[in-house]
Amino acid sequence: MTRRAVRVAATVSCAVAAAGLATGTVSAAEPESTSGTGRPALVHANAVNECNLNVRTGPNLESSALTTLTCDNYTTCRHAGGAEPCGPYVIGGTYSCVGTDGEQVTDDRWAEVTYRAPEAAFVAVACAAFLEP
């Protein structure tokens, strides 16, 4: 084989391998929940609740708290890109907090997040802040 033939064969091999890798990477890395941009929506605590938002094992206050998000750390929404950020929501137990507008809110909507993927985790929608890409 000539040098040119070896170079062409190597280039074709690399291109085929890269195409296969890129295809596998894209499908494997594509998050289950994305906004219209293809990037995941994020959720964190809002400042009016002293930057505290519990991530729970279920959509109610009786479920165990897994962690507390702050205004500076985020988790990924499992669902996104619809009419509501991080929705559709799950109707669960009732909770109360200060909403993003500074008013006291009582609500029963919970957003599913990927904190312990693939296991379910939830945050209280009215107490959260959402970052849509």
Coordinates of all heavy atoms in Angstrom, one line a residue, residues 66-119:
L66 N -33.7 14.7 50.4 CA -32.5 14.1 49.9 C -31.3 15.2 50.0 O -30.2 14.8 50.3 CB -32.6 13.7 48.4 CG -33.6 12.7 48.1 CD1 -33.9 12.6 46.7 CD2 -33.1 11.3 48.7
T67 N -31.7 16.4 49.8 CA -30.7 17.5 49.8 C -31.5 18.8 49.9 O -32.7 18.8 49.6 CB -29.7 17.5 48.6 OG1 -28.6 18.4 48.9 CG2 -30.4 17.9 47.3
T68 N -30.8 19.9 50.1 CA -31.4 21.2 50.1 C -30.6 22.0 49.0 O -29.4 22.2 49.2 CB -31.3 21.9 51.4 OG1 -32.0 21.1 52.4 CG2 -31.9 23.3 51.4
L69 N -31.3 22.4 48.0 CA -30.7 23.3 47.0 C -30.6 24.7 47.5 O -31.5 25.1 48.3 CB -31.6 23.3 45.7 CG -31.7 21.9 45.0 CD1 -32.6 22.1 43.8 CD2 -30.4 21.4 44.6
T70 N -29.7 25.5 47.1 CA -29.5 26.9 47.4 C -29.8 27.7 46.2 O -30.2 27.2 45.1 CB -28.1 27.1 47.9 OG1 -27.2 27.0 46.8 CG2 -27.7 26.2 49.1
C71 N -29.5 29.0 46.3 CA -29.7 29.8 45.1 C -28.5 29.6 44.1 O -28.6 30.0 43.0 CB -29.7 31.3 45.5 SG -31.3 31.7 46.3
D72 N -27.5 29.0 44.6 CA -26.3 28.8 43.8 C -26.1 27.4 43.2 O -25.2 27.2 42.3 CB -25.0 29.2 44.6 CG -25.0 30.6 45.0 OD1 -25.5 31.5 44.2 OD2 -24.6 30.9 46.1
N73 N -26.8 26.4 43.7 CA -26.7 25.1 43.2 C -28.0 24.6 42.6 O -29.1 25.0 43.0 CB -26.1 24.0 44.1 CG -27.0 23.7 45.3 OD1 -27.9 24.4 45.6 ND2 -26.6 22.7 46.0
Y74 N -27.9 23.8 41.5 CA -29.1 23.5 40.7 C -29.2 22.0 40.6 O -28.3 21.2 40.8 CB -28.9 24.0 39.3 CG -28.8 25.5 39.2 CD1 -27.7 26.2 39.5 CD2 -29.9 26.2 38.7 CE1 -27.6 27.6 39.4 CE2 -29.8 27.6 38.6 CZ -28.7 28.3 39.0 OH -28.6 29.6 38.9
T75 N -30.4 21.5 40.2 CA -30.6 20.2 39.7 C -31.4 20.3 38.4 O -31.9 21.4 38.1 CB -31.3 19.3 40.7 OG1 -31.1 17.9 40.3 CG2 -32.7 19.6 40.9
T76 N -31.4 19.2 37.7 CA -32.0 19.2 36.3 C -33.5 18.8 36.4 O -33.8 17.8 37.1 CB -31.2 18.3 35.4 OG1 -29.9 18.7 35.4 CG2 -31.8 18.3 34.0
C77 N -34.3 19.5 35.7 CA -35.7 19.1 35.6 C -35.8 17.8 34.8 O -35.1 17.6 33.8 CB -36.5 20.1 34.8 SG -36.6 21.7 35.7
R78 N -36.7 16.9 35.2 CA -36.9 15.6 34.4 C -37.7 15.9 33.2 O -37.5 15.3 32.1 CB -37.5 14.6 35.3 CG -37.8 13.3 34.4 CD -37.9 12.1 35.2 NE -36.8 11.9 36.2 CZ -36.0 10.9 36.2 NH1 -36.0 10.0 35.2 NH2 -35.1 10.8 37.2
H79 N -38.6 16.8 33.3 CA -39.5 17.2 32.1 C -39.3 18.7 31.9 O -39.2 19.5 32.9 CB -41.0 16.9 32.5 CG -41.2 15.5 33.0 ND1 -41.1 14.4 32.1 CD2 -41.4 15.0 34.2 CE1 -41.4 13.3 32.8 NE2 -41.5 13.7 34.1
A80 N -39.4 19.1 30.7 CA -39.3 20.5 30.4 C -39.7 20.8 29.0 O -39.8 19.9 28.2 CB -37.9 21.1 30.7
G81 N -39.8 22.0 28.6 CA -40.1 22.4 27.3 C -41.5 22.6 27.0 O -41.9 23.0 25.9
G82 N -42.4 22.4 28.0 CA -43.8 22.6 27.8 C -44.2 24.0 28.1 O -43.4 24.9 28.2
A83 N -45.5 24.1 28.4 CA -46.0 25.5 28.8 C -45.6 25.9 30.1 O -45.5 27.1 30.4 CB -47.6 25.4 28.7
E84 N -45.2 25.0 31.0 CA -44.7 25.3 32.4 C -43.3 24.9 32.5 O -42.9 23.8 32.1 CB -45.6 24.7 33.4 CG -46.5 23.6 32.9 CD -47.5 23.0 33.8 OE1 -48.3 23.6 34.4 OE2 -47.4 21.7 33.9
P85 N -42.5 25.7 33.2 CA -41.1 25.3 33.4 C -41.0 24.0 34.3 O -41.7 23.9 35.3 CB -40.4 26.5 34.1 CG -41.6 27.3 34.7 CD -42.8 27.0 33.9
C86 N -40.3 23.0 33.8 CA -40.1 21.8 34.6 C -41.3 21.0 34.7 O -41.5 20.1 35.5 CB -39.5 22.1 36.0 SG -38.4 20.9 36.7
G87 N -42.3 21.2 33.8 CA -43.6 20.5 33.9 C -43.7 19.5 32.8 O -42.8 19.4 31.9
P88 N -44.7 18.6 32.8 CA -45.9 18.7 33.6 C -45.6 18.4 35.1 O -44.7 17.6 35.4 CB -46.8 17.7 33.0 CG -45.9 16.7 32.3 CD -44.7 17.5 31.9
Y89 N -46.4 19.0 35.9 CA -46.2 18.8 37.3 C -47.0 17.7 37.9 O -48.0 17.2 37.3 CB -46.6 20.1 38.1 CG -45.9 21.3 37.7 CD1 -46.6 22.5 37.4 CD2 -44.5 21.3 37.5 CE1 -45.9 23.7 37.0 CE2 -43.8 22.4 37.0 CZ -44.5 23.6 36.8 OH -43.8 24.7 36.4
V90 N -46.6 17.2 39.0 CA -47.3 16.1 39.8 C -48.1 16.8 40.9 O -47.6 17.7 41.5 CB -46.3 15.1 40.4 CG1 -46.9 14.1 41.3 CG2 -45.4 14.5 39.3
I91 N -49.3 16.4 41.0 CA -50.1 16.9 42.1 C -49.9 16.0 43.3 O -50.0 14.8 43.2 CB -51.7 16.9 41.8 CG1 -51.9 17.8 40.5 CG2 -52.5 17.4 43.0 CD1 -51.4 19.2 40.6
G92 N -49.5 16.6 44.4 CA -49.1 15.8 45.6 C -49.6 16.5 46.9 O -50.6 17.2 46.9
G93 N -48.8 16.4 47.9 CA -49.1 16.9 49.2 C -49.0 18.5 49.1 O -48.3 19.1 48.4
T94 N -49.8 19.1 50.0 CA -49.9 20.5 50.1 C -48.7 21.1 50.9 O -48.3 20.5 51.9 CB -51.2 21.0 50.7 OG1 -52.3 20.4 49.9 CG2 -51.4 22.5 50.8
Y95 N -48.2 22.2 50.5 CA -47.1 22.8 51.2 C -47.3 24.3 51.1 O -48.2 24.8 50.4 CB -45.7 22.5 50.6 CG -45.6 22.9 49.1 CD1 -45.3 24.1 48.6 CD2 -45.9 21.9 48.1 CE1 -45.3 24.5 47.3 CE2 -45.9 22.2 46.8 CZ -45.6 23.5 46.4 OH -45.5 23.8 45.0
S96 N -46.5 25.1 51.9 CA -46.7 26.5 52.0 C -45.3 27.1 52.0 O -44.4 26.6 52.6 CB -47.4 26.9 53.2 OG -47.3 28.2 53.6
C97 N -45.1 28.2 51.3 CA -43.8 28.9 51.2 C -44.0 30.3 50.7 O -45.2 30.7 50.4 CB -42.8 28.2 50.4 SG -43.2 28.1 48.6
V98 N -43.0 31.1 50.6 CA -43.1 32.4 50.0 C -42.8 32.2 48.5 O -41.7 31.7 48.1 CB -42.1 33.4 50.6 CG1 -42.2 34.7 50.0 CG2 -42.3 33.5 52.1
G99 N -43.7 32.7 47.7 CA -43.5 32.5 46.2 C -42.5 33.6 45.7 O -42.0 34.4 46.4
T100 N -42.1 33.4 44.4 CA -41.2 34.3 43.8 C -41.6 35.8 43.8 O -40.8 36.7 43.7 CB -40.8 33.9 42.4 OG1 -42.0 33.8 41.6 CG2 -40.1 32.5 42.4
D101 N -42.9 36.0 44.0 CA -43.4 37.4 44.0 C -43.4 38.0 45.4 O -43.8 39.1 45.7 CB -44.8 37.5 43.4 CG -45.8 36.7 44.2 OD1 -45.4 36.0 45.2 OD2 -47.0 36.7 43.8
G102 N -42.9 37.2 46.4 CA -42.8 37.7 47.8 C -44.1 37.4 48.6 O -44.1 37.7 49.8
E103 N -45.1 36.8 48.0 CA -46.4 36.6 48.7 C -46.4 35.1 49.2 O -45.8 34.2 48.6 CB -47.5 36.7 47.8 CG -47.7 38.2 47.2 CD -48.1 39.2 48.3 OE1 -48.9 38.8 49.2 OE2 -47.5 40.3 48.3
Q104 N -47.0 34.9 50.4 CA -47.2 33.5 50.9 C -48.1 32.7 49.9 O -49.1 33.2 49.5 CB -47.9 33.6 52.3 CG -47.9 32.3 53.0 CD -46.5 31.8 53.5 OE1 -45.6 32.7 53.7 NE2 -46.3 30.6 53.5
V105 N -47.6 31.5 49.7 CA -48.3 30.6 48.7 C -48.6 29.3 49.4 O -47.7 28.7 50.1 CB -47.4 30.4 47.5 CG1 -48.1 29.5 46.5 CG2 -47.1 31.7 46.8
T106 N -49.8 28.7 49.1 CA -50.1 27.3 49.4 C -50.3 26.6 48.1 O -51.1 27.1 47.3 CB -51.3 27.2 50.4 OG1 -51.0 28.0 51.6 CG2 -51.6 25.8 50.7
D107 N -49.7 25.5 47.9 CA -49.7 24.8 46.6 C -49.6 23.3 46.8 O -49.2 22.8 47.9 CB -48.6 25.3 45.7 CG -48.9 25.2 44.2 OD1 -49.8 24.4 43.9 OD2 -48.2 25.8 43.5
D108 N -49.9 22.5 45.8 CA -49.7 21.1 45.8 C -49.1 20.6 44.5 O -49.1 19.4 44.2 CB -51.1 20.4 46.0 CG -52.1 20.6 44.9 OD1 -51.8 21.4 43.9 OD2 -53.2 20.0 44.9
R109 N -48.4 21.5 43.8 CA -47.7 21.1 42.6 C -46.2 20.8 42.9 O -45.6 21.6 43.5 CB -47.8 22.2 41.5 CG -49.2 22.5 41.0 CD -49.3 23.7 40.1 NE -48.7 24.8 40.9 CZ -48.0 25.8 40.3 NH1 -47.9 25.8 39.0 NH2 -47.5 26.8 41.0
W110 N -45.8 19.7 42.3 CA -44.4 19.3 42.5 C -43.8 19.0 41.1 O -44.4 18.5 40.3 CB -44.3 18.0 43.3 CG -44.9 18.2 44.7 CD1 -46.2 18.2 45.1 CD2 -44.1 18.4 45.9 NE1 -46.3 18.4 46.5 CE2 -45.0 18.5 47.0 CE3 -42.8 18.4 46.2 CZ2 -44.6 18.7 48.3 CZ3 -42.3 18.6 47.5 CH2 -43.3 18.7 48.5
A111 N -42.5 19.4 41.0 CA -41.8 19.1 39.7 C -40.8 18.0 40.0 O -40.1 17.9 41.0 CB -41.0 20.4 39.3
E112 N -40.8 17.0 39.0 CA -39.9 15.9 39.1 C -38.5 16.3 38.6 O -38.4 17.0 37.5 CB -40.4 14.7 38.3 CG -39.6 13.5 38.6 CD -40.3 12.2 37.9 OE1 -41.3 12.4 37.3 OE2 -39.7 11.2 38.0
V113 N -37.5 16.0 39.4 CA -36.1 16.4 39.0 C -35.2 15.1 38.9 O -35.6 14.1 39.4 CB -35.5 17.4 40.0 CG1 -36.3 18.7 39.9 CG2 -35.5 16.9 41.4
T114 N -34.1 15.3 38.4 CA -33.2 14.1 38.2 C -32.1 14.0 39.2 O -31.0 13.5 38.9 CB -32.6 14.2 36.8 OG1 -31.8 15.4 36.6 CG2 -33.6 14.1 35.7
Y115 N -32.4 14.4 40.4 CA -31.3 14.4 41.4 C -30.7 13.1 41.7 O -29.5 12.9 41.8 CB -31.9 15.0 42.7 CG -30.9 15.1 43.8 CD1 -29.9 16.0 43.8 CD2 -30.9 14.1 44.9 CE1 -28.9 16.0 44.8 CE2 -29.9 14.2 45.8 CZ -28.9 15.1 45.8 OH -28.0 15.1 46.8
R116 N -31.6 12.0 41.7 CA -31.1 10.7 42.0 C -31.4 9.8 40.8 O -31.8 8.6 41.0 CB -31.8 10.1 43.2 CG -31.5 10.7 44.5 CD -32.0 10.0 45.7 NE -33.2 9.3 45.5 CZ -33.7 8.4 46.3 NH1 -33.1 8.1 47.4 NH2 -34.9 7.8 46.0
A117 N -31.3 10.3 39.6 CA -31.7 9.5 38.4 C -31.1 8.1 38.5 O -29.9 7.9 38.9 CB -31.2 10.2 37.2
P118 N -31.8 7.1 38.2 CA -33.1 7.1 37.6 C -34.3 7.1 38.6 O -35.4 7.1 38.2 CB -33.2 5.7 36.8 CG -32.4 4.8 37.7 CD -31.3 5.7 38.3
E119 N -34.0 7.1 39.9 CA -35.0 7.2 40.9 C -35.7 8.6 40.9 O -35.0 9.6 40.7 CB -34.5 6.9 42.3 CG -34.0 5.5 42.4 CD -33.3 5.2 43.7 OE1 -33.9 5.6 44.8 OE2 -32.2 4.6 43.8

